[in-house]
Amino acid sequence: MNAVAPGAYHIWTIGCQMNEADTRRLAARLEALGWREAADPDSADLLVLNTCVVRRQAEDKALGRLAQARAQKRRRPDRIVALMGCLVGERMDPALRERFDFVDVFLPPSDPGPLLRRLAAADAAEAPGEAPLPARLRRSVRAHVPAVLGCSLACAYCVIPYRRGPERSRPAGEILDEIRALLAQGVREIVLLGQIVDRYGLDRPDAGVNLAGLLRSAARLDGLRRLRFLTNHPRYLDAALIETVADEPRICPHFVMPFQSGSDAVLARMRRGYTAEDYRARVAAIRARLPEASIQTDIIVGFPGETEADFAATANLLEELRLDKVHIARYSPRPQTWAARRLPDDVPAEEKERRRAALDAIQTRILSEKNAAFRGRVVDVLVEDRDPRRGRWRGRTPCDRLVFFEAPGNPRGRIVPVRIRETAPFSLIGAAESANPTPP
Ligand code: SAH
């Protein structure tokens, strides 16, 4: 097929950090082929919709955006429309071609190949990205880098294994090359991604590398200031990983370890492979070695058969553990999953919302108490950008607390000591301690 003359592109993205990373990587490849980001999304010659289906709500938003794209395509038939991500999936349902007959190219998650081949001569499309940040992200301090693609665990509620395919660890050399290229473009913090990032390397026993080894190699790269990783699974996050985090100053003491439910009966039906007691033990192991570590979690409310007593167990665990951030989702059945096929969605929508709001209230109170302890303290903030509304600088602590602060000059990309003056449940506010932030 002939190459398409480059023009203006727009990528619409919804969903997890993996989708954001997929969008970044695709945008960089498009720009390497001469495309530029459209100033006005409606005028783009190429529209890419990068979709998520992990919850019903996300899928509905993607379907809404697709309906809009269909109408626009009628007015502008020459526009190229590409559908990407989890709505397409690794093994695409052929019925999608009929359902979305106005879509020109379908891309599985994390694979820009079909679009790049359509736009350019095949070999140009395969060229590795020397500049992995597209123009819009050139001043980014943080970038997400996929380490493990797909997932082979079959949690009863989760559609990801069906859409992102089986677990595949990327070769360490490839990941480190991508990180080096990002650092060369000014990135200072890297977040390694995987559905169960702790399982990095287990599918490549011959390569002899695990997450701890990958983190140690990445932590030593020139220019890097901070390294994070997510998502952890309570069954696979082990003592060696905790030791590595404790040993390497650039690896942040920050864990994202979903517990999903505090009820053992629900956890068993979810097929998560651990009990509430196992989860408590993991939290205790992290805190024994890293007392200040930030531990974030995900919870699903209203999973099939979740009784008031099951929910109370979840609320009690949340209350007891005093974690540092929580994503609370109301259960929605997802196609192909074991729960959708076998378990009736029997908790009414209003009850799911009541449970979500109750957990939200508990966690907001915990965070306002935990954050209040920071008043008067000095924290190290890696500066990301300036809050355009209030003109203050914005960044994060190693434990992922969001900080707004005043500082002279332009401290972007540096680690600045900030004395905290005010606190709120979701942020800290203060001022830079010294006029001389650490040199880059
Ligand atoms: N691999 C990670 C995250 C997967 S998706 C893990 O091991 O948990 C991110 C979050 O979405 C999950 O942690 C879960 O809380 C939520 N989620 C996944 N499927 C869901 C569903 N069917 N309904 C509601 N929330 C869901």
Side-chain angles (χ1 to χ4, degrees), residues 54-55 157 160 195 258 260 272 298 300 329-330 332 334:
V54 77
R55 282 180 290 275
Y157 50 80
I160 293 174
Q195 296 303 330
Q260 312 294 8
R272 285 287 289 175
D298 293 356
I300 298 176
R330 289 163 293 182
S332 56
R334 301 283 65 212

Side-chain angles (χ1 to χ4, degrees), residues 3 23 30 38 63 78 84 130 158 160 184-185 230 238 257 348 350 356 416:
T23 289
L30 289 173
L63 294 176
D78 60 319
M84 172 175 177
E130 296 275 300
C158 192
I160 293 174
Q185 284 192 288
L230 54 91
D238 61 10
M257 180 170 71
E350 319 79 73
R356 186 204 62 75
V416 175

